[in-house]
């Protein structure tokens, strides 16, 4: 089945954010969404450690609730994991600005955080949260008022506590990004300390050949889908963010002699 939200990954990437597309996300959903009105923010209340340890639960659901549980997951390092292009079970009963069809009308973002004082939000994650929400709102032609917390949407009041941060200053920050008043995001460095350039899908040349050789691939110097798949698998095996981008951290794992 063809789903509506296949623009999610590109929209986030165009905003300068790190994106890890999950296998099969373009055809994953509980049916399709309707008219998307806004974005609903959540926290996972999952494990205390790891970039996105709740990813499997968000993708496949729980015993009491079928997945996907949101379209996007946001790791502690600011990486967006793109999970579904269709409808997700993230909203439940509630209302925001008169809209009661949460699962059909809002894109859900489950950010990895326990939701307690002893698990502070990393600055890089909060920055990515704001920028990702702003990018989606810009795409759908909505302003910052169409960003809500699950705790604001859910009925009866007090039914949900997430996200654990104050939504009013969060919306003000999102509005500043939409207005072009916020500083640009920090991007992956163009090269590491050993002059290994950052490479990704579409890159060509000797660094890609070197990468392919290390990964045991035929070294043709073209960073295509097979190379990207091999990079993602390597990153998963080495507890790196599986975004398919070979930057300083991945180069360090690939070539420990550096």
């Amino acid at each position: 089945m063809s789903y509506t939200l296949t623009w999610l990954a590109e929209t986030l990437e165009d905003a300068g954010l790190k994106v890890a597309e999950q296998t099969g996300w373009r055809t994953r959903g509980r049916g399709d969404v309707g008219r998307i009105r806004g974005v609903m923010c959540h926290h996972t209340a999952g494990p205390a450690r790891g970039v996105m340890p709740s990813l499997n639960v968000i993708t496949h659901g729980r015993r009491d609730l079928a997945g996907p549980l949101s379209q996007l997951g946001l790791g502690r390092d600011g990486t967006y994991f793109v999970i579904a292009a269709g409808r997700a079970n993230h909203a439940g009963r509630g209302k925001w600005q008169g809209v009661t069809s949460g699962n059909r009308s809002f894109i859900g973002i489950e950010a990895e955080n326990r939701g307690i004082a002893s698990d502070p939000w990393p600055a890089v994650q909060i920055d990515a949260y704001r920028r990702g929400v702003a990018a989606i709102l810009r795409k759908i032609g909505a302003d910052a008022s169409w960003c809500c917390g699950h705790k604001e949407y859910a009925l009866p009041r007090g039914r949900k506590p997430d996200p654990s941060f104050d939504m009013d200053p969060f919306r003000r920050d999102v509005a500043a990004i939409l207005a072009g008043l916020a500083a640009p995001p920090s991007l992956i460095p163009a090269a590491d300390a050993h002059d290994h350039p950052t490479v990704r899908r579409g890159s060509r040349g000797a660094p890609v050949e070197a990468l392919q050789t290390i990964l045991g691939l035929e070294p043709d110097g073209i960073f295509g889908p097979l190379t990207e798949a091999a990079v993602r698998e390597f990153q998963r095996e080495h507890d790196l963010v599986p975004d398919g981008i070979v930057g300083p951290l991945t180069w360090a794992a690939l070539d420990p002699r550096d």
Side-chain angles (χ1 to χ4, degrees), residues 73-148:
L74 177 58
R76 289 185 168 100
D77 71 341
T79 297
Y80 275 94
F81 292 78
V82 189
I83 296 164
R87 192 172 72 249
N89 283 331
H90 69 94
R93 181 184 170 211
K95 180 189 290 188
W96 182 253
Q97 301 209 94
V99 178
T100 59
S101 53
N103 289 338
R104 289 183 57 81
S105 302
F106 289 83
I107 290 169
I109 303 176
E110 282 280 2
E112 195 67 71
N113 187 275
R114 295 175 72 198
I116 57 178
S118 60
D119 189 13
W121 290 85
V124 67
Q125 186 183 27
I126 284 291
D127 183 63
Y129 215 156
R130 299 179 188 119
R131 294 183 188 282
V133 169
I136 293 168
L137 292 177
R138 183 178 289 110
K139 170 70 176 181
I140 65 175
D143 62 31
S145 70
W146 284 99
C147 166
C148 66

Side-chain angles (χ1 to χ4, degrees), residues 27 65 234:
T27 56
L65 187 63
F234 177 88

Side-chain angles (χ1 to χ4, degrees), residues 15 57 74 89-90 143 158 181 183 186 189 202 237 240 242 257:
V57 172
L74 177 58
N89 283 331
H90 69 94
D143 62 31
L181 302 176
S186 298
E237 291 173 354
L240 298 167
R257 294 170 300 173

Side-chain angles (χ1 to χ4, degrees), residues 166-185:
D166 189 335
M167 288 301 301
D168 288 330
F170 183 86
R171 273 187 288 269
R172 289 195 292 271
D173 291 337
V174 169
I177 294 169
L178 287 169
L181 302 176

